[in-house]
Amino acid sequence: MELNSNQIAELLPHRYPFALVDRISDYEPGQWARGIKCVSVNELFFCGHFPQEHVMPGVLILEALAQVGAVAILSLPENRGKIALFGGIKQARFKRKVIPGDVMDMECVLTGHRGKVGIGTCTAAVRGEVVCSAELIFAVSEE
Protein backbone atom coordinates (compact mmCIF):
# COMPACT_ATOMS: atom_id res chain seq x y z
CA MET A 1 0.00 0.00 0.00
CA GLU A 2 1.29 3.44 -0.89
CA LEU A 3 0.48 6.77 0.76
CA ASN A 4 1.04 10.23 -0.72
CA SER A 5 1.74 13.35 1.35
CA ASN A 6 -1.97 14.15 1.79
CA GLN A 7 -2.71 10.63 3.03
CA ILE A 8 0.27 10.78 5.40
CA ALA A 9 -1.14 14.04 6.80
CA GLU A 10 -4.35 12.18 7.66
CA LEU A 11 -2.33 9.86 9.96
CA LEU A 12 0.37 12.15 11.35
CA PRO A 13 -0.05 15.54 13.02
CA HIS A 14 3.22 16.92 11.54
CA ARG A 15 3.00 19.94 9.25
CA TYR A 16 5.54 22.17 7.51
CA PRO A 17 8.39 22.46 8.31
CA PHE A 18 8.29 19.19 10.27
CA ALA A 19 6.48 16.93 7.81
CA LEU A 20 9.60 15.00 6.81
CA VAL A 21 8.19 12.08 4.83
CA ASP A 22 7.21 12.71 1.20
CA ARG A 23 5.76 9.29 0.43
CA ILE A 24 5.13 5.94 2.10
CA SER A 25 6.05 3.38 -0.54
CA ASP A 26 4.63 0.41 1.38
CA TYR A 27 3.52 -0.55 4.88
CA GLU A 28 1.87 -3.22 6.98
CA PRO A 29 -0.21 -1.66 9.79
CA GLY A 30 1.33 -2.45 13.17
CA GLN A 31 4.35 -4.16 11.59
CA TRP A 32 6.54 -1.96 9.36
CA ALA A 33 6.64 0.96 6.94
CA ARG A 34 8.94 2.18 4.16
CA GLY A 35 9.04 5.78 3.02
CA ILE A 36 11.07 8.38 1.18
CA LYS A 37 12.31 11.89 1.84
CA CYS A 38 13.43 13.94 -1.16
CA VAL A 39 15.99 16.34 0.29
CA SER A 40 15.88 19.76 -1.38
CA VAL A 41 18.19 22.75 -1.06
CA ASN A 42 15.01 24.72 -0.27
CA GLU A 43 14.61 23.01 3.13
CA LEU A 44 14.34 25.64 5.86
CA PHE A 45 17.01 23.98 8.03
CA PHE A 46 19.72 24.52 5.38
CA CYS A 47 19.60 28.26 6.17
CA GLY A 48 21.56 27.55 9.34
CA HIS A 49 22.93 23.98 9.01
CA PHE A 50 25.35 24.77 7.52
CA PRO A 51 25.16 27.78 5.17
CA GLN A 52 28.65 27.07 3.76
CA GLU A 53 28.05 23.29 3.34
CA HIS A 54 24.48 22.03 3.42
CA VAL A 55 24.08 18.94 5.63
CA MET A 56 20.74 17.55 6.85
CA PRO A 57 20.83 17.52 10.66
CA GLY A 58 21.06 14.03 12.17
CA VAL A 59 18.21 14.76 14.55
CA LEU A 60 15.95 15.45 11.56
CA ILE A 61 17.00 12.18 9.92
CA LEU A 62 15.94 10.46 13.15
CA GLU A 63 12.69 12.42 13.16
CA ALA A 64 11.98 11.37 9.56
CA LEU A 65 12.61 7.73 10.53
CA ALA A 66 10.30 8.15 13.53
CA GLN A 67 7.56 9.52 11.26
CA VAL A 68 7.85 6.45 9.03
CA GLY A 69 7.50 4.26 12.13
CA ALA A 70 4.57 6.36 13.31
CA VAL A 71 2.74 5.56 10.07
CA ALA A 72 3.16 1.85 10.83
CA ILE A 73 1.72 2.15 14.34
CA LEU A 74 -0.88 4.87 13.77
CA SER A 75 -2.34 3.10 10.73
CA LEU A 76 -3.80 0.50 13.10
CA PRO A 77 -7.55 1.21 13.49
CA GLU A 78 -7.28 1.40 17.30
CA ASN A 79 -4.56 4.10 17.03
CA ARG A 80 -6.28 6.41 14.51
CA GLY A 81 -6.35 9.98 15.80
CA LYS A 82 -3.57 9.36 18.33
CA ILE A 83 0.03 10.56 18.21
CA ALA A 84 3.31 8.70 18.63
CA LEU A 85 5.85 10.45 20.85
CA PHE A 86 9.58 9.76 21.21
CA GLY A 87 10.36 7.64 24.27
CA GLY A 88 14.02 7.16 23.48
CA ILE A 89 16.73 6.62 20.91
CA LYS A 90 19.22 3.75 21.16
CA GLN A 91 22.19 2.79 19.03
CA ALA A 92 21.88 5.75 16.63
CA ARG A 93 24.69 5.65 14.08
CA PHE A 94 25.34 8.09 11.25
CA LYS A 95 27.42 6.74 8.38
CA ARG A 96 27.50 9.63 5.88
CA LYS A 97 26.10 13.09 5.20
CA VAL A 98 22.69 13.65 3.65
CA ILE A 99 22.79 16.61 1.28
CA PRO A 100 20.47 18.38 -1.18
CA GLY A 101 19.53 16.12 -4.08
CA ASP A 102 19.63 12.96 -1.98
CA VAL A 103 16.56 10.72 -1.78
CA MET A 104 16.45 8.96 1.58
CA ASP A 105 14.87 5.53 1.54
CA MET A 106 13.67 4.83 5.07
CA GLU A 107 12.35 1.75 6.81
CA CYS A 108 11.06 1.14 10.33
CA VAL A 109 10.23 -2.37 11.54
CA LEU A 110 8.25 -2.51 14.77
CA THR A 111 10.04 -5.18 16.80
CA GLY A 112 8.06 -5.12 20.03
CA HIS A 113 5.54 -3.35 22.19
CA ARG A 114 4.12 -3.45 25.66
CA GLY A 115 0.96 -1.49 26.24
CA LYS A 116 1.38 1.98 24.74
CA VAL A 117 5.19 1.70 24.41
CA GLY A 118 6.85 0.22 21.34
CA ILE A 119 10.25 -0.26 19.72
CA GLY A 120 11.21 0.18 16.08
CA THR A 121 14.40 -0.79 14.27
CA CYS A 122 15.04 1.88 11.66
CA THR A 123 17.36 2.43 8.71
CA ALA A 124 17.81 5.29 6.24
CA ALA A 125 19.78 4.84 3.01
CA VAL A 126 20.74 6.95 0.00
CA ARG A 127 21.40 5.11 -3.28
CA GLY A 128 21.58 1.84 -1.34
CA GLU A 129 24.18 3.12 1.15
CA VAL A 130 23.10 3.25 4.81
CA VAL A 131 23.28 6.79 6.16
CA CYS A 132 21.66 6.18 9.56
CA SER A 133 20.43 3.31 11.71
CA ALA A 134 18.79 3.44 15.12
CA GLU A 135 16.42 1.76 17.52
CA LEU A 136 13.59 4.15 18.35
CA ILE A 137 11.30 3.86 21.37
CA PHE A 138 7.88 5.46 21.17
CA ALA A 139 4.75 5.94 23.21
CA VAL A 140 1.28 6.18 21.70
CA SER A 141 -0.70 8.97 23.31
CA GLU A 142 -4.12 10.54 22.90
CA GLU A 143 -3.96 13.71 20.79
Side-chain angles (χ1 to χ4, degrees), residues 72-84:
I73 195 66
L74 297 178
S75 61
L76 286 168
E78 63 267 28
N79 290 334
R80 292 283 178 146
K82 297 180 180 179
I83 59 173

Side-chain angles (χ1 to χ4, degrees), residues 1-119:
M1 293 184 283
E2 188 173 291
L3 300 175
N4 64 34
S5 59
N6 293 314
Q7 292 165 317
I8 294 168
E10 291 175 14
L11 290 172
L12 302 182
H14 304 82
R15 298 296 181 261
Y16 178 83
F18 282 98
L20 298 175
V21 179
D22 295 320
R23 175 174 295 138
I24 294 295
S25 54
D26 201 5
Y27 70 103
E28 172 96 24
Q31 301 296 312
W32 55 270
R34 291 185 197 104
I36 63 166
K37 166 68 176 158
C38 300
V39 181
S40 167
V41 72
N42 295 316
E43 307 280 357
L44 184 60
F45 52 78
F46 285 134
C47 293
H49 196 273
F50 300 100
Q52 71 280 11
E53 181 181 353
H54 298 145
V55 176
M56 185 172 181
V59 296
L60 294 182
I61 295 170
L62 289 171
E63 175 63 28
L65 285 166
Q67 289 179 23
V68 170
V71 167
I73 195 66
L74 297 178
S75 61
L76 286 168
E78 63 267 28
N79 290 334
R80 292 283 178 146
K82 297 180 180 179
I83 59 173
L85 301 169
F86 262 126
I89 301 168
K90 290 183 174 181
Q91 304 296 321
R93 298 288 182 264
F94 300 94
K95 307 289 185 179
R96 83 179 246 326
K97 295 185 281 189
V98 175
I99 60 174
D102 285 345
V103 175
M104 269 196 320
D105 294 304
M106 301 173 288
E107 180 178 58
C108 183
V109 177
L110 303 177
T111 57
H113 71 281
R114 180 174 292 155
K116 295 181 178 186
V117 176
I119 298 170

